PDB file of all heavy atoms in Angstrom:
ATOM      1  N   ASN H 191     -63.179 -85.801  53.498  1.00  0.00           N
ATOM      2  CA  ASN H 191     -63.250 -85.559  54.942  1.00  0.00           C
ATOM      3  C   ASN H 191     -64.410 -84.629  55.275  1.00  0.00           C
ATOM      4  O   ASN H 191     -65.166 -84.865  56.231  1.00  0.00           O
ATOM      5  CB  ASN H 191     -61.927 -84.953  55.423  1.00  0.00           C
ATOM      6  CG  ASN H 191     -61.832 -84.879  56.946  1.00  0.00           C
ATOM      7  OD1 ASN H 191     -62.213 -85.807  57.641  1.00  0.00           O
ATOM      8  ND2 ASN H 191     -61.315 -83.777  57.436  1.00  0.00           N
ATOM      9  N   VAL H 192     -64.551 -83.554  54.490  1.00  0.00           N
ATOM     10  CA  VAL H 192     -65.668 -82.629  54.681  1.00  0.00           C
ATOM     11  C   VAL H 192     -66.993 -83.373  54.586  1.00  0.00           C
ATOM     12  O   VAL H 192     -67.898 -83.204  55.415  1.00  0.00           O
ATOM     13  CB  VAL H 192     -65.613 -81.491  53.647  1.00  0.00           C
ATOM     14  CG1 VAL H 192     -66.910 -80.674  53.668  1.00  0.00           C
ATOM     15  CG2 VAL H 192     -64.413 -80.578  53.914  1.00  0.00           C
ATOM     16  N   THR H 193     -67.109 -84.224  53.612  1.00  0.00           N
ATOM     17  CA  THR H 193     -68.368 -84.924  53.370  1.00  0.00           C
ATOM     18  C   THR H 193     -68.707 -85.892  54.492  1.00  0.00           C
ATOM     19  O   THR H 193     -69.832 -85.907  55.008  1.00  0.00           O
ATOM     20  CB  THR H 193     -68.295 -85.687  52.036  1.00  0.00           C
ATOM     21  OG1 THR H 193     -68.033 -84.751  50.979  1.00  0.00           O
ATOM     22  CG2 THR H 193     -69.584 -86.421  51.757  1.00  0.00           C
ATOM     23  N   SER H 194     -67.741 -86.711  54.887  1.00  0.00           N
ATOM     24  CA  SER H 194     -68.024 -87.711  55.914  1.00  0.00           C
ATOM     25  C   SER H 194     -68.331 -87.064  57.254  1.00  0.00           C
ATOM     26  O   SER H 194     -69.226 -87.507  57.987  1.00  0.00           O
ATOM     27  CB  SER H 194     -66.853 -88.688  56.050  1.00  0.00           C
ATOM     28  OG  SER H 194     -65.663 -88.013  56.436  1.00  0.00           O
ATOM     29  N   LYS H 195     -67.626 -85.985  57.572  1.00  0.00           N
ATOM     30  CA  LYS H 195     -67.888 -85.286  58.827  1.00  0.00           C
ATOM     31  C   LYS H 195     -69.268 -84.628  58.796  1.00  0.00           C
ATOM     32  O   LYS H 195     -70.023 -84.663  59.774  1.00  0.00           O
ATOM     33  CB  LYS H 195     -66.820 -84.214  59.075  1.00  0.00           C
ATOM     34  CG  LYS H 195     -65.396 -84.730  59.239  1.00  0.00           C
ATOM     35  CD  LYS H 195     -65.215 -85.534  60.499  1.00  0.00           C
ATOM     36  CE  LYS H 195     -63.755 -85.827  60.804  1.00  0.00           C
ATOM     37  NZ  LYS H 195     -63.041 -86.613  59.794  1.00  0.00           N
ATOM     38  N   ALA H 196     -69.615 -84.021  57.656  1.00  0.00           N
ATOM     39  CA  ALA H 196     -70.909 -83.347  57.527  1.00  0.00           C
ATOM     40  C   ALA H 196     -72.064 -84.346  57.640  1.00  0.00           C
ATOM     41  O   ALA H 196     -73.076 -84.069  58.286  1.00  0.00           O
ATOM     42  CB  ALA H 196     -70.983 -82.602  56.194  1.00  0.00           C
ATOM     43  N   ILE H 197     -71.901 -85.499  57.029  1.00  0.00           N
ATOM     44  CA  ILE H 197     -72.970 -86.505  57.094  1.00  0.00           C
ATOM     45  C   ILE H 197     -73.140 -87.014  58.529  1.00  0.00           C
ATOM     46  O   ILE H 197     -74.267 -87.200  59.004  1.00  0.00           O
ATOM     47  CB  ILE H 197     -72.677 -87.655  56.110  1.00  0.00           C
ATOM     48  CG1 ILE H 197     -72.854 -87.159  54.668  1.00  0.00           C
ATOM     49  CG2 ILE H 197     -73.587 -88.852  56.372  1.00  0.00           C
ATOM     50  CD1 ILE H 197     -72.456 -88.172  53.603  1.00  0.00           C
ATOM     51  N   ALA H 198     -72.022 -87.213  59.232  1.00  0.00           N
ATOM     52  CA  ALA H 198     -72.115 -87.650  60.627  1.00  0.00           C
ATOM     53  C   ALA H 198     -72.841 -86.608  61.480  1.00  0.00           C
ATOM     54  O   ALA H 198     -73.709 -86.944  62.293  1.00  0.00           O
ATOM     55  CB  ALA H 198     -70.716 -87.910  61.179  1.00  0.00           C
ATOM     56  N   TYR H 199     -72.490 -85.349  61.284  1.00  0.00           N
ATOM     57  CA  TYR H 199     -73.113 -84.250  62.028  1.00  0.00           C
ATOM     58  C   TYR H 199     -74.597 -84.163  61.674  1.00  0.00           C
ATOM     59  O   TYR H 199     -75.462 -84.068  62.556  1.00  0.00           O
ATOM     60  CB  TYR H 199     -72.366 -82.962  61.682  1.00  0.00           C
ATOM     61  CG  TYR H 199     -72.748 -81.727  62.468  1.00  0.00           C
ATOM     62  CD1 TYR H 199     -73.549 -81.786  63.599  1.00  0.00           C
ATOM     63  CD2 TYR H 199     -72.266 -80.482  62.071  1.00  0.00           C
ATOM     64  CE1 TYR H 199     -73.870 -80.638  64.314  1.00  0.00           C
ATOM     65  CE2 TYR H 199     -72.591 -79.327  62.762  1.00  0.00           C
ATOM     66  CZ  TYR H 199     -73.395 -79.412  63.887  1.00  0.00           C
ATOM     67  OH  TYR H 199     -73.719 -78.279  64.587  1.00  0.00           O
ATOM     68  N   MET H 200     -74.898 -84.216  60.380  1.00  0.00           N
ATOM     69  CA  MET H 200     -76.286 -84.124  59.912  1.00  0.00           C
ATOM     70  C   MET H 200     -77.129 -85.259  60.483  1.00  0.00           C
ATOM     71  O   MET H 200     -78.226 -85.044  61.000  1.00  0.00           O
ATOM     72  CB  MET H 200     -76.312 -84.162  58.383  1.00  0.00           C
ATOM     73  CG  MET H 200     -77.707 -84.236  57.760  1.00  0.00           C
ATOM     74  SD  MET H 200     -78.304 -85.939  57.462  1.00  0.00           S
ATOM     75  CE  MET H 200     -77.265 -86.418  56.094  1.00  0.00           C
ATOM     76  N   ARG H 201     -76.620 -86.479  60.418  1.00  0.00           N
ATOM     77  CA  ARG H 201     -77.397 -87.618  60.901  1.00  0.00           C
ATOM     78  C   ARG H 201     -77.624 -87.551  62.405  1.00  0.00           C
ATOM     79  O   ARG H 201     -78.693 -87.929  62.892  1.00  0.00           O
ATOM     80  CB  ARG H 201     -76.694 -88.918  60.521  1.00  0.00           C
ATOM     81  CG  ARG H 201     -76.866 -89.261  59.045  1.00  0.00           C
ATOM     82  CD  ARG H 201     -76.175 -90.544  58.660  1.00  0.00           C
ATOM     83  NE  ARG H 201     -76.528 -90.918  57.287  1.00  0.00           N
ATOM     84  CZ  ARG H 201     -75.773 -91.657  56.493  1.00  0.00           C
ATOM     85  NH1 ARG H 201     -74.598 -92.113  56.926  1.00  0.00           N
ATOM     86  NH2 ARG H 201     -76.178 -91.952  55.268  1.00  0.00           N
ATOM     87  N   GLY H 202     -76.634 -87.068  63.136  1.00  0.00           N
ATOM     88  CA  GLY H 202     -76.820 -86.911  64.573  1.00  0.00           C
ATOM     89  C   GLY H 202     -77.979 -85.996  64.892  1.00  0.00           C
ATOM     90  O   GLY H 202     -78.764 -86.254  65.814  1.00  0.00           O
ATOM     91  N   MET H 203     -78.115 -84.923  64.120  1.00  0.00           N
ATOM     92  CA  MET H 203     -79.222 -83.981  64.344  1.00  0.00           C
ATOM     93  C   MET H 203     -80.545 -84.537  63.834  1.00  0.00           C
ATOM     94  O   MET H 203     -81.554 -84.536  64.539  1.00  0.00           O
ATOM     95  CB  MET H 203     -78.903 -82.631  63.694  1.00  0.00           C
ATOM     96  CG  MET H 203     -77.795 -81.857  64.396  1.00  0.00           C
ATOM     97  SD  MET H 203     -77.547 -80.160  63.780  1.00  0.00           S
ATOM     98  CE  MET H 203     -76.596 -80.487  62.286  1.00  0.00           C
ATOM     99  N   GLN H 204     -80.561 -84.988  62.588  1.00  0.00           N
ATOM    100  CA  GLN H 204     -81.832 -85.410  61.996  1.00  0.00           C
ATOM    101  C   GLN H 204     -82.364 -86.695  62.604  1.00  0.00           C
ATOM    102  O   GLN H 204     -83.583 -86.883  62.683  1.00  0.00           O
ATOM    103  CB  GLN H 204     -81.687 -85.545  60.479  1.00  0.00           C
ATOM    104  CG  GLN H 204     -81.530 -84.193  59.801  1.00  0.00           C
ATOM    105  CD  GLN H 204     -81.661 -84.229  58.283  1.00  0.00           C
ATOM    106  OE1 GLN H 204     -81.616 -83.188  57.654  1.00  0.00           O
ATOM    107  NE2 GLN H 204     -81.825 -85.389  57.684  1.00  0.00           N
ATOM    108  N   ASP H 205     -81.478 -87.582  63.056  1.00  0.00           N
ATOM    109  CA  ASP H 205     -81.952 -88.787  63.735  1.00  0.00           C
ATOM    110  C   ASP H 205     -82.656 -88.441  65.040  1.00  0.00           C
ATOM    111  O   ASP H 205     -83.361 -89.281  65.611  1.00  0.00           O
ATOM    112  CB  ASP H 205     -80.783 -89.736  64.031  1.00  0.00           C
ATOM    113  CG  ASP H 205     -80.302 -90.460  62.782  1.00  0.00           C
ATOM    114  OD1 ASP H 205     -80.932 -90.299  61.715  1.00  0.00           O
ATOM    115  OD2 ASP H 205     -79.292 -91.189  62.881  1.00  0.00           O
ATOM    116  N   HIS H 206     -82.435 -87.219  65.513  1.00  0.00           N
ATOM    117  CA  HIS H 206     -83.069 -86.772  66.754  1.00  0.00           C
ATOM    118  C   HIS H 206     -84.032 -85.614  66.492  1.00  0.00           C
ATOM    119  O   HIS H 206     -84.227 -84.740  67.328  1.00  0.00           O
ATOM    120  CB  HIS H 206     -81.993 -86.411  67.779  1.00  0.00           C
ATOM    121  CG  HIS H 206     -81.182 -87.604  68.207  1.00  0.00           C
ATOM    122  ND1 HIS H 206     -80.132 -88.092  67.465  1.00  0.00           N
ATOM    123  CD2 HIS H 206     -81.316 -88.437  69.274  1.00  0.00           C
ATOM    124  CE1 HIS H 206     -79.632 -89.168  68.067  1.00  0.00           C
ATOM    125  NE2 HIS H 206     -80.329 -89.390  69.159  1.00  0.00           N
ATOM    126  N   GLN H 207     -84.630 -85.654  65.305  1.00  0.00           N
ATOM    127  CA  GLN H 207     -85.778 -84.831  64.949  1.00  0.00           C
ATOM    128  C   GLN H 207     -85.480 -83.339  64.912  1.00  0.00           C
ATOM    129  O   GLN H 207     -86.319 -82.508  65.238  1.00  0.00           O
ATOM    130  CB  GLN H 207     -86.946 -85.109  65.913  1.00  0.00           C
ATOM    131  CG  GLN H 207     -88.312 -85.232  65.257  1.00  0.00           C
ATOM    132  CD  GLN H 207     -88.441 -86.458  64.355  1.00  0.00           C
ATOM    133  OE1 GLN H 207     -87.659 -87.394  64.462  1.00  0.00           O
ATOM    134  NE2 GLN H 207     -89.429 -86.454  63.483  1.00  0.00           N
ATOM    135  N   LEU H 208     -84.273 -83.002  64.509  1.00  0.00           N
ATOM    136  CA  LEU H 208     -83.938 -81.600  64.243  1.00  0.00           C
ATOM    137  C   LEU H 208     -83.566 -81.496  62.778  1.00  0.00           C
ATOM    138  O   LEU H 208     -82.694 -82.209  62.295  1.00  0.00           O
ATOM    139  CB  LEU H 208     -82.763 -81.134  65.112  1.00  0.00           C
ATOM    140  CG  LEU H 208     -82.385 -79.658  64.939  1.00  0.00           C
ATOM    141  CD1 LEU H 208     -83.336 -78.777  65.746  1.00  0.00           C
ATOM    142  CD2 LEU H 208     -80.945 -79.406  65.377  1.00  0.00           C
ATOM    143  N   LEU H 209     -84.242 -80.606  62.051  1.00  0.00           N
ATOM    144  CA  LEU H 209     -83.943 -80.461  60.634  1.00  0.00           C
ATOM    145  C   LEU H 209     -82.623 -79.717  60.455  1.00  0.00           C
ATOM    146  O   LEU H 209     -82.303 -78.823  61.237  1.00  0.00           O
ATOM    147  CB  LEU H 209     -85.065 -79.715  59.913  1.00  0.00           C
ATOM    148  CG  LEU H 209     -85.025 -79.864  58.382  1.00  0.00           C
ATOM    149  CD1 LEU H 209     -85.362 -81.288  57.980  1.00  0.00           C
ATOM    150  CD2 LEU H 209     -85.975 -78.884  57.719  1.00  0.00           C
ATOM    151  N   THR H 210     -81.861 -80.091  59.432  1.00  0.00           N
ATOM    152  CA  THR H 210     -80.569 -79.461  59.180  1.00  0.00           C
ATOM    153  C   THR H 210     -80.545 -78.873  57.776  1.00  0.00           C
ATOM    154  O   THR H 210     -81.356 -79.224  56.913  1.00  0.00           O
ATOM    155  CB  THR H 210     -79.429 -80.484  59.302  1.00  0.00           C
ATOM    156  OG1 THR H 210     -79.561 -81.456  58.257  1.00  0.00           O
ATOM    157  CG2 THR H 210     -79.483 -81.193  60.639  1.00  0.00           C
ATOM    158  N   THR H 211     -79.582 -77.985  57.548  1.00  0.00           N
ATOM    159  CA  THR H 211     -79.388 -77.421  56.213  1.00  0.00           C
ATOM    160  C   THR H 211     -77.909 -77.436  55.884  1.00  0.00           C
ATOM    161  O   THR H 211     -77.088 -76.899  56.638  1.00  0.00           O
ATOM    162  CB  THR H 211     -79.898 -75.969  56.131  1.00  0.00           C
ATOM    163  OG1 THR H 211     -79.242 -75.193  57.130  1.00  0.00           O
ATOM    164  CG2 THR H 211     -81.381 -75.889  56.337  1.00  0.00           C
ATOM    165  N   ALA H 212     -77.560 -78.056  54.782  1.00  0.00           N
ATOM    166  CA  ALA H 212     -76.183 -78.029  54.300  1.00  0.00           C
ATOM    167  C   ALA H 212     -75.923 -76.673  53.659  1.00  0.00           C
ATOM    168  O   ALA H 212     -76.723 -76.193  52.869  1.00  0.00           O
ATOM    169  CB  ALA H 212     -75.978 -79.146  53.291  1.00  0.00           C
ATOM    170  N   LYS H 213     -74.797 -76.071  53.999  1.00  0.00           N
ATOM    171  CA  LYS H 213     -74.512 -74.751  53.443  1.00  0.00           C
ATOM    172  C   LYS H 213     -73.016 -74.623  53.141  1.00  0.00           C
ATOM    173  O   LYS H 213     -72.215 -75.406  53.663  1.00  0.00           O
ATOM    174  CB  LYS H 213     -74.994 -73.659  54.413  1.00  0.00           C
ATOM    175  CG  LYS H 213     -74.284 -73.622  55.782  1.00  0.00           C
ATOM    176  CD  LYS H 213     -74.936 -72.594  56.682  1.00  0.00           C
ATOM    177  CE  LYS H 213     -74.162 -72.407  57.968  1.00  0.00           C
ATOM    178  NZ  LYS H 213     -74.828 -71.516  58.922  1.00  0.00           N
ATOM    179  N   HIS H 214     -72.622 -73.738  52.273  1.00  0.00           N
ATOM    180  CA  HIS H 214     -73.365 -72.713  51.543  1.00  0.00           C
ATOM    181  C   HIS H 214     -73.305 -73.085  50.067  1.00  0.00           C
ATOM    182  O   HIS H 214     -72.282 -72.858  49.420  1.00  0.00           O
ATOM    183  CB  HIS H 214     -72.766 -71.331  51.773  1.00  0.00           C
ATOM    184  CG  HIS H 214     -72.639 -70.945  53.213  1.00  0.00           C
ATOM    185  ND1 HIS H 214     -71.582 -71.338  54.014  1.00  0.00           N
ATOM    186  CD2 HIS H 214     -73.458 -70.194  53.994  1.00  0.00           C
ATOM    187  CE1 HIS H 214     -71.743 -70.831  55.228  1.00  0.00           C
ATOM    188  NE2 HIS H 214     -72.868 -70.137  55.253  1.00  0.00           N
TER     189      HIS H 214
END
Side-chain angles (χ1 to χ4, degrees):
N191 189 42
V192 169
T193 301
S194 61
K195 297 293 191 299
I197 289 174
Y199 187 11
M200 173 269 288
R201 284 180 172 154
M203 290 188 281
Q204 290 192 176
D205 285 355
H206 295 82
Q207 223 67 18
L208 183 80
L209 196 69
T210 66
T211 56
K213 64 185 187 186
H214 305 83

